[in-house]
Amino acid sequence: MSTLSRAQDILGDLIRFPTISVDSNLQMIEYLKQTLTVAGAEVMIQSDPTGTKANLWATLGPKLDGGIVLSGHTDVVPVADQDWTEDPFEMSLRDGRLYGRGTCDMKGFIACCLALLEKVEADTLQRPLHFAFTYDEETGCLGAQSLVEELRSFPLKPAICIIGEPTGMRVIEGHKGCCEYTTHFTGLEGHGSAPDAGLNAVEYAVKYVSHLLEVREGLKARAPENGRFDPPWTTLNIGGLHGGVAHNVIPGKAHVEWEFRPVQNSDYDYVTGEVRRYVQETLLPEMQKNWPDANIVTETIGEVAGLEPMDTNEARDLVLALTGENDVDVVAFATEGGLFQSIGMDVVVCGPGYIAQAHKPDEYVELSQLAECLDMLDGIAARLAS
Ligand SMILES: [Zn+2]
């Protein structure tokens, strides 16, 4: 059986696990574990706090530093309210395309990783080949965050990480981060005719928003030279400002929904630092002077680190060489790549299928894309064996 038909068979199996982010991925993790164990890999399972989801980390070959990580997420986005031609959890082949939820984002890549196992002799590897398969990527990279925490104190230090998100096998070296928050303001409700008897939460929320807009202006000047992102600076958006019940009532509660997309890690520190300082040194003391129980609480909805393009990047250079691509680009969507970069790995994003098909009804991946991916993975295995 060719490696491509093997990958196709495995993908059919993986699609049958309905690993929507809210649901368990344990059956799929068990399947991955079985396949990797049979191939001679050492497998570690890391459960989430509820015990209903897990990450998988596996190592094939010698226990040495260096080596390459192949990384993918096991979860998929929901199919509710989408109009699918056929069952999204039963893969179908039409016109060279494999249809099903997750074929492109990103079980196609995981299937290629497993198909590769048949061709790799563990004891020929000079450096290790690692596999990182995570949960809850689509809901804020939660699985990768705890995996990376574990890897931080891990005895082996992998050098390179390849994130197989759908890029049409183009080589991607960077993306912005995505940090989302809801900030809650608690004041004191009262009658509009007696302003001193209440504390207007909406007014403080407005001051907070004004400060965020000042921070946003500062971000433009911080844009790295020759940045390729569009726009090249860290953006900040106010997505919502809610509060109040009627014209003549002092609102006791308000909340602001906001996000920013850092182009560099230092902008993350800048924004969070500026905002924290303003709240602690200015806004909150001002509120509490008028009403001691007043409060401002920021809830983190999700923080996905950006993947910062680097001058030297072994992962990018390797994948360029293996795919024969000449161009390196950046993309608008976020991945788990920044997390792996944060623990010292060189990271590149390159995988089969196109982001345009991800998350859509009738999601598909072309067989030709899987074939290209298998070629790249062959090259990686050959590299580790030499
Ligand atoms: Zn994805």
Side-chain angles (χ1 to χ4, degrees), residues 3 6 10 31-41 43 58-60 70 110-122 125 129-131 133 374 377-378 381:
T3 319
R6 173 87 183 123
I10 295 171
Y31 176 98
L32 300 174
K33 181 183 169 185
Q34 293 278 337
T35 315
L36 283 153
T37 308
V38 167
V43 179
T59 301
L60 193 69
L70 301 177
I110 297 179
C112 289
C113 292
L114 296 191
L116 173 76
L117 290 170
E118 296 239 309
K119 300 177 71 180
V120 182
E121 295 286 341
L125 295 177
L129 180 58
H130 304 282
F131 301 85
F133 299 136
L374 287 166
L377 294 176
D378 259 352

Side-chain angles (χ1 to χ4, degrees), residues 66-70 127 130 157-162 313-316 318-319 344-348:
I68 297 175
V69 182
L70 301 177
R127 278 163 297 153
H130 304 282
K157 302 284 171 226
I160 285 178
C161 181
I162 297 169
N313 181 339
E314 252 193 274
R316 171 195 62 205
L318 173 68
V319 171
M345 294 183 209
D346 283 3
V347 177
V348 70

Side-chain angles (χ1 to χ4, degrees), residues 73 75 105-106 137-138 165-166 355 359:
H73 60 81
D75 59 320
D105 185 13
M106 57 182 289
E137 188 271 350
E138 300 288 3
E165 288 278 357
I355 199 72
H359 302 197

Side-chain angles (χ1 to χ4, degrees), residues 73-100:
H73 60 81
T74 61
D75 59 320
V76 295
V77 295
V79 294
D81 302 324
Q82 290 190 340
D83 191 12
W84 283 74
T85 309
E86 289 182 59
D87 182 352
F89 296 108
E90 199 54 60
M91 190 173 77
S92 54
L93 171 65
R94 299 196 296 278
D95 306 325
R97 295 167 170 181
L98 297 167
Y99 288 86

Side-chain angles (χ1 to χ4, degrees), residues 174-181 215 219-220 222-224 229-237 258-272 302-309 330-335 338 341:
H175 57 71
K176 294 184 182 186
C178 183
C179 302
E180 296 186 337
Y181 310 93
V215 170
L219 286 168
K220 287 188 187 167
R222 296 172 54 89
F229 292 114
D230 179 22
W233 52 81
T234 293
T235 56
L236 188 153
N237 180 56
W258 61 287
E259 54 123 47
F260 70 103
R261 294 171 182 255
V263 296
Q264 51 194 346
N265 291 326
S266 58
D267 281 358
Y268 172 85
D269 297 335
Y270 172 75
V271 172
T272 52
E303 286 185 336
V304 179
L307 178 60
E308 200 172 326
V330 296
V331 286
F333 61 90
T335 75
Q341 188 179 49

Side-chain angles (χ1 to χ4, degrees), residues 96-210:
R97 295 167 170 181
L98 297 167
Y99 288 86
R101 172 53 84 227
T103 46
C104 152
D105 185 13
M106 57 182 289
K107 291 177 173 177
F109 178 75
I110 297 179
C112 289
C113 292
L114 296 191
L116 173 76
L117 290 170
E118 296 239 309
K119 300 177 71 180
V120 182
E121 295 286 341
D123 45 8
T124 64
L125 295 177
Q126 305 295 310
R127 278 163 297 153
L129 180 58
H130 304 282
F131 301 85
F133 299 136
T134 58
Y135 64 86
D136 280 358
E137 188 271 350
E138 300 288 3
T139 49
C141 296
L142 306 181
Q145 285 179 38
S146 51
L147 180 63
V148 160
E149 267 325 298
E150 181 86 21
L151 293 178
R152 215 180 271 282
S153 54
F154 203 57
L156 302 186
K157 302 284 171 226
I160 285 178
C161 181
I162 297 169
I163 310 276
E165 288 278 357
T167 66
M169 293 305 294
R170 287 191 315 131
V171 182
I172 301 300
E173 62 170 339
H175 57 71
K176 294 184 182 186
C178 183
C179 302
E180 296 186 337
Y181 310 93
T182 302
T183 303
H184 301 267
F185 299 81
T186 307
L188 179 63
E189 206 164 83
H191 195 282
S193 64
D196 289 345
L199 184 72
N200 193 315
V202 167
E203 289 180 11
Y204 285 94
V206 166
K207 289 187 184 193
Y208 184 82
V209 167
S210 301

